[in-house]
Amino acid sequence: MSQVYAAFKSIGAYAPKNVLTNQDLEKMVDTSNEWIIKRTGIKERRIADKDEVTSDMGAKASELAIKRAQIKKEEIDLILCATVTPDYFNMPSTACIIANKLGIANVQAFDISAACSGFVYALSIAKAFVESGMKKNVLVIGAEKFSSIVDYTDRTTCILFGDGAGAAIISATSDKEEAIIDINASANGAYWDYLITPSPGSVNPASKEAIEQGLQYVKMRGNETFKLAVKTLTQDVKDILEKNSIKANEIDHFIPHQANYRIIKAVGDALGMSEEQVVLTIHKYGNTSAASIPMAINELYESGGLKYKELMLLDTFGGGLTWASALIPFAGKANG
Ligand code: COA
């Protein structure tokens, strides 16, 4: 029997229509457009409507990815949704709700909680399921309504995050040249309190007191996270490139997690990546957590800049702290 590999067949994304600009934020908190651009590179981010939830965005991104993979919905045998802003804490999973919205029944579906690293974590699970022969077509989603856990009176966090979703189809192939080369996902729980939503949860169940203290909002040790992110992201890429004997200049598209332009620049420079190699969406979407990387891949794809078998290098970090990198040739047809 020939060896089965996992191929990244297609990408799709969805960004809500409402734009929240730096100028809008100037009216809400003590900040300025200049400060936000200089410290983060963000100019605007998208915010979902009140009645537009994580699963709605995930389902829209999925519809596109399924169409572009040219498969039928019924052929999908696993749905993974990476999110830290699920429709419900903690049942049912957002993956189950998306499956229902897509009209797919009788399919294994579950959520992944790895914050901003969630999409790449989910890709590693999809790869393992496909390579083992257990599944043939996996729908991998990163979807976040981050605005639902952001405190819009806290200037240290509200400037950073936005809403959106991205999705990909990972399918079985016998063509080794199409195969996902490697995914390295890891974590260090020693930094568990760097990024945290303290409630609801078993430590702080939902209560009037918890809400009065604002424990339902994301809290971040920004400066410490920044320093750790630069170090971790750089080392992570060095490791995966060395392990697979690939040089930085052989990468067609470096697609880092879009958290802060200064982090991306520092990592890109340390790795010797040229400006043309680095994919940037931070200015228009901010940090969309698990949706960040698939949204960036989708931008590249829709601009016509992603061709068959071009090599993508993904690199991400997030709450946990978690991090992950991946070497993936694009196994779909170019757009246009
Ligand atoms: N507008 C104006 N001033 C602000 C501000 C804002 N939105 N947010 C913070 N400040 C102030 C601080 O209060 C501080 O003032 P002080 O010196 O009087 O105390 C000053 O700016 C510097 O704060 P600091 O936190 O050291 O800034 P920084 O250069 O680290 O930038 C972040 C702050 C949040 C942009 C940056 O730390 C960051 O991006 N961290 C990583 C975040 C991240 O990636 N999180 C997601 C992980 S997936």
Side-chain angles (χ1 to χ4, degrees), residues 31 35 39 116 155 195 220 222-223 257 259-260 262 287 317:
T31 191
W35 193 95
R39 299 290 181 116
C116 303
R155 70 176 182 174
L195 274 150
M220 184 182 69
N223 201 268
H257 174 46
N260 184 317
R262 288 189 295 141
N287 181 349
F317 74 100

Side-chain angles (χ1 to χ4, degrees), residues 2-47:
S2 68
Q3 170 111 31
V4 179
Y5 302 102
F8 192 107
K9 291 299 279 186
S10 70
I11 188 74
Y14 172 79
K17 63 180 185 317
N18 307 323
V19 176
L20 180 70
T21 64
N22 292 349
Q23 286 76 12
D24 296 329
L25 286 163
E26 282 177 348
K27 294 176 200 138
M28 297 157 70
V29 289
D30 181 14
T31 191
S32 68
N33 178 40
E34 294 69 34
W35 193 95
I36 300 172
I37 291 177
K38 194 166 163 232
R39 299 290 181 116
T40 72
I42 303 170
K43 292 182 179 163
E44 56 188 45
R45 60 296 282 142
R46 301 295 180 90
I47 304 295

Side-chain angles (χ1 to χ4, degrees), residues 295-310:
M295 285 176 85
I297 299 173
N298 185 67
E299 288 277 314
L300 181 67
Y301 171 81
E302 289 192 349
S303 74
L306 184 58
K307 307 269 179 340
Y308 179 57
K309 285 189 181 169
E310 280 187 345

